[in-house]
């Protein structure tokens, strides 16, 4: 049967499992809003007062539900405001389907207010764009968008839809949804098992593909089968390996020299689901040390050999591939050898963790807090089953060394680096997983970029604990400036005194101030009892 374009749009959203629309509307979205209001089982409209927080909420929701989230933006200006979120989503490979209303086609040539080339504006930040000019094309393009959003590499897909098209009375056919075939294991795993099984000092780099594809358990089996030390990829977005496991060696730093040093102790490495070791700061030389045997596994064929040569490249779904690889390795590596490696690695890593633990505990004091103490208080206060949404930059690096997490999805970050993501993303996670405590650990600069998201947190009564690390500066920039030999205060890095409790109150969010590291730990420990958002302002030593 046929439906009016706006109703056909809703039919497809329901069929794709969309139960919420994240948006900030304008006049070009009125036909869509009218359809939402006229349909009893329409998705809930989750309003944001700035498009940056709208896209961030959708990002967090998509990660929490494991399916594409739907975003509605308003014309060129709204799309431009949302671009930072789309850039983050593309970098983090979050599946989103994004629709923006275009001006009425009947006067588009007259350059009406707020109009623009929407697809050209969106193109650098998304996987693909669709410029819909005929009502009959909308349902097919929308089906393609949902399918493309989840196809490796996952990411946002954009549609430009003129407002008069959605309001047409013409009937459009709604194509049935075609389920994607279940991906299988990669061919060539026998060769990978041979290389890893013969290694004397194997290592694994766990990329974000592991977390995205729910392959954490399979990677644990693979690591244990050969006793391989496991590093997370630089600035990992997900929990890709349990931080409580004796084989866990921490996250690789986002510099080629640091990666090369960390992997120099190994003769063979499996790189699973990692995006090409994208560095942050430049250092000369390759990421991998000479003579290292490299096995690379990814669901995206473009990743194989992208930034470094590999001895064997494998393309396939990570979970079934790693399960198969673990079984093959158990036939090649004796149980005694694997257990001995695990024991030795556990002793080394436990000593490293103990040193970090001691340094953090020794820094406990009343406010203002040392960064180590603040990170430790959060890490030790986390309730069971908590989700950490982290956008804290400098304190976040310390937090990563201290958290003890083992459940998939319990740590979320964006490697995209566009500030202001964390507040909205935490709302999305809370909506997606209402049974889990959500603790958002934010830098003060990041918080300033995303403050409008607190309005949505209050509106949705999202039980998120926002922990704002308040040092009054862009600390990471000052630290990099110092490392480069800069003298004094780097211009443009000082934020000055900021009262985040007052800012939270403006948006209707309760707030308090951490009086000590112990007080902060107690506040975090009670995050699971929240029924609405709470912001904790944490004064830090400069």
């Amino acid at each position: 049967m046929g439906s009016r374009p706006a109703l056909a749009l809703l039919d497809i959203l329901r069929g794709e499992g969309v139960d919420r629309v994240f948006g900030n509307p304008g006049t070009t979205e009125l036909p869509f809003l009218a359809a939402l209001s006229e349909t009893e089982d329409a998705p809930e409209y989750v309003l944001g007062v700035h498009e940056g927080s709208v896209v961030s909420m959708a990002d967090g929701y998509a990660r929490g539900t494991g399916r594409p989230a739907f975003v509605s933006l308003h014309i060129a200006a709204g799309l431009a405001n949302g671009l930072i979120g789309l850039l983050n989503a593309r970098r983090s490979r979050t599946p989103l389907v994004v629709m923006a209303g275009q001006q009425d086609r009947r006067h588009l040539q007259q350059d009406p207010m707020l109009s623009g080339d929407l697809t050209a504006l969106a193109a650098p930040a998304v996987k693909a764009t669709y410029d819909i000019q005929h009502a009959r094309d909308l349902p097919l393009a929308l089906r393609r968008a949902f399918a493309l959003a989840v196809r490796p590499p996952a990411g946002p897909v954009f549609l430009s839809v003129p407002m008069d098209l959605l309001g047409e009375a013409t009937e459009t056919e709604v194509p049935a949804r075609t389920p994607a075939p279940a991906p299988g294991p990669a061919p060539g795993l026998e060769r990978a098992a041979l290389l890893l099984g013969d290694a004397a000092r194997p290592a694994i780099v766990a990329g974000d593909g592991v977390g995205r594809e729910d392959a954490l358990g399979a990677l644990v089996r693979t690591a244990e089968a050969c006793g391989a030390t496991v590093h997370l990829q630089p600035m990992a977005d997900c929990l890709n390996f349990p931080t409580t496991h004796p084989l866990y060696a921490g996250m690789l730093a986002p510099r080629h020299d640091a990666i090369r040093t960390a992997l120099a102790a190994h003769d063979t490495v499996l790189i699973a689901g990692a995006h090409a070791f994208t560095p942050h700061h430049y250092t000369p030389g390759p990421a991998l040390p000479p003579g290292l045997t490299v096995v690379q596994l990814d669901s995206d064929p473009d990743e194989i050999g992208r930034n470094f040569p590999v001895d064997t490249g494998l393309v396939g779904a990570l979970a079934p591939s790693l399960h198969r690889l673990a079984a093959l390795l158990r036939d090649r590596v004796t149980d005694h050898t694997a257990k001995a490696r695990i024991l030795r690695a556990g002793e080394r890593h436990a000593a490293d963790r103990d040193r970090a633990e001691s340094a953090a505990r020794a820094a406990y004091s009343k406010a203002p807090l040392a960064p180590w103490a603040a990170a430790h208080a959060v890490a030790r206060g986390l309730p069971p089953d908590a989700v950490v949404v982290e956008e804290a930059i400098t304190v976040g690096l310390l937090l990563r060394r201290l958290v003890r997490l083992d459940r998939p999805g319990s740590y979320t970050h964006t490697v995209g680096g566009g500030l202001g993501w964390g507040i909205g993303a935490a709302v999305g996670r809370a909506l997606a997983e209402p049974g889990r405590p959500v603790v958002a650990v934010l830098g003060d600069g990041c918080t300033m970029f995303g403050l409008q998201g607190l309005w949505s947190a209050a509106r949705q009564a999202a039980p998120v604990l926002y922990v704002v690390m308040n040092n009054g500066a862009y600390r990471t920039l000052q630290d990099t400036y110092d490392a480069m030999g800069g003298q004094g205060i780097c211009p443009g890095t000082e934020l000055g005194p900021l009262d985040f409790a007052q800012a939270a109150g403006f948006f209707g969010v309760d707030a308090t101030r951490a009086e000590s590291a112990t007080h902060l730990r107690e506040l975090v420990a009670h995050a699971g009892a929240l029924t609405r958002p709470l912001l904790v302002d944490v004064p830090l030593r400069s």
Side-chain angles (χ1 to χ4, degrees):
M1 289 181 61
S3 300
R4 289 191 293 115
L7 296 179
L9 168 60
L10 292 182
D11 284 345
I12 291 175
L13 295 188
R14 283 191 293 267
E16 296 288 347
V18 173
D19 55 3
R20 287 181 167 93
V21 171
F22 297 89
N24 181 271
T27 52
T28 56
E29 285 66 57
L30 286 176
F32 177 52
L33 299 179
L36 287 173
S37 67
E38 296 166 4
T39 306
E40 289 186 3
D41 57 347
E44 175 190 351
Y45 192 94
V46 179
L47 177 64
V49 293
H50 187 275
E51 291 84 357
S53 58
V54 165
V55 179
S56 295
M57 286 192 291
D59 186 310
Y61 193 71
R63 296 198 203 194
T65 61
R67 61 179 186 266
F70 188 76
V71 180
S72 175
L73 302 178
H74 174 50
I75 217 160
L79 172 58
N81 280 338
L83 281 178
I84 188 170
L86 296 180
L87 288 167
N88 284 338
R90 183 166 192 182
R91 198 79 173 185
S92 291
R93 301 191 172 185
T94 305
L96 303 176
V97 175
V98 183
M99 181 181 74
Q102 176 60 285
Q103 265 280 11
D104 193 308
R105 290 168 296 178
R106 290 169 295 189
H107 69 169
L108 194 55
Q109 290 302 318
Q110 300 172 43
D111 194 23
M113 186 180 295
L114 297 176
S115 65
D117 190 341
L118 302 189
T119 54
L121 185 60
V126 299
K127 286 184 66 177
T129 64
Y130 294 91
D131 187 6
I132 308 301
Q133 291 299 314
H134 304 284
R136 64 179 179 270
D137 295 334
L138 176 61
L140 183 59
L142 197 57
R143 285 287 191 218
R144 288 179 181 172
F146 275 97
L148 185 58
V150 298
R151 188 176 305 143
V157 179
F158 176 77
L159 300 96
S160 169
V161 183
M163 65 178 297
D164 60 304
L165 185 150
L166 277 184
E168 286 183 359
T170 57
E171 297 284 304
T172 57
E173 293 298 322
V174 178
R177 184 177 185 271
T178 302
L189 288 165
E190 292 76 12
R191 170 68 176 164
L194 176 66
L195 295 175
L196 284 167
D198 288 349
R201 301 178 306 280
I204 295 174
V205 176
D208 287 329
V210 174
R212 284 193 306 269
E213 298 184 32
D214 197 20
L216 187 148
L219 186 65
V220 170
R221 287 190 64 211
T222 301
E224 290 177 346
C226 61
T229 297
V230 181
H231 295 272
L232 297 187
Q233 74 167 65
M235 302 312 298
D237 272 355
C238 311
L239 184 73
N240 303 316
F241 196 79
T243 65
T244 55
H245 199 286
L247 289 171
Y248 177 65
M251 184 188 77
L252 294 172
R255 304 188 321 273
H256 280 180
D257 61 346
I259 298 169
R260 193 166 58 244
T261 298
L263 296 181
H266 303 281
D267 57 358
T268 303
V269 63
L270 167 65
I271 301 171
H275 176 53
F277 289 165
T278 306
H280 185 195
H281 301 295
Y282 171 78
T283 54
L288 302 182
L292 184 67
T293 298
V294 181
V295 178
Q296 188 177 12
L297 168 66
D298 210 287
S299 55
D300 177 9
D302 287 342
E303 285 297 331
I304 304 301
R306 179 185 176 94
N307 278 3
F308 43 78
V310 302
D311 293 275
T312 191
L314 310 169
V315 178
L318 296 188
S321 297
L322 290 168
H323 278 303
R324 174 64 179 151
L325 180 57
L328 292 169
L329 284 170
R330 291 193 187 280
D331 292 336
R332 296 198 62 84
V333 181
T334 67
D335 189 55
H336 172 77
T337 298
K339 286 183 176 179
R341 290 172 179 171
I342 294 171
L343 181 63
R344 289 195 299 271
E347 291 172 348
R348 290 195 308 271
H349 300 154
D352 291 341
R353 285 193 289 267
D354 287 345
R355 283 191 290 271
E357 190 79 21
S358 297
R361 286 186 179 278
Y364 266 46
S365 70
K366 294 183 178 181
L369 306 184
W372 263 115
H376 185 275
V378 172
R380 293 298 161 268
L382 287 173
D385 205 28
V387 175
V388 177
V389 176
E390 182 263 303
E391 193 187 20
I393 316 300
T394 49
V395 176
L397 293 175
L398 304 178
L399 182 65
R400 288 171 183 266
R401 295 182 61 184
L402 294 167
V403 290
R404 301 288 179 263
L405 301 170
D406 53 19
R407 177 174 170 179
S410 56
Y411 200 96
T412 305
H413 173 75
T414 179
V415 75
L419 301 188
W421 165 88
I423 292 178
V427 175
R429 284 304 297 264
L431 293 175
E433 299 179 277
R436 299 183 70 179
V438 177
V439 178
V441 184
L442 313 171
D444 48 4
C446 300
T447 303
M448 292 291 285
F449 271 73
L451 269 178
Q452 298 95 334
L454 292 178
W455 184 92
S456 294
R459 171 91 166 219
Q460 296 293 323
V464 175
L465 183 70
Y466 289 104
V467 181
V468 180
M469 301 296 180
N470 188 353
N471 58 22
Y474 292 132
R475 177 56 53 193
T476 187
L477 187 57
Q478 180 64 50
D479 290 348
T480 305
Y481 180 74
D482 293 343
M484 293 170 59
Q487 301 296 313
I489 302 298
C490 178
T493 60
E494 291 188 289
L495 299 176
L498 296 169
D499 189 339
F500 285 101
Q502 185 175 0
F506 174 79
F507 290 106
V509 172
D510 297 333
T512 189
R513 181 179 183 270
E515 301 296 338
S516 67
T518 301
H519 183 216
L520 174 58
R521 181 171 174 169
E522 292 170 352
L523 289 167
V524 174
H526 287 92
L530 293 177
T531 58
R532 54 180 287 106
L534 173 66
L535 184 144
V536 181
D537 192 342
V538 184
L540 295 185
R541 298 175 196 167
S542 58

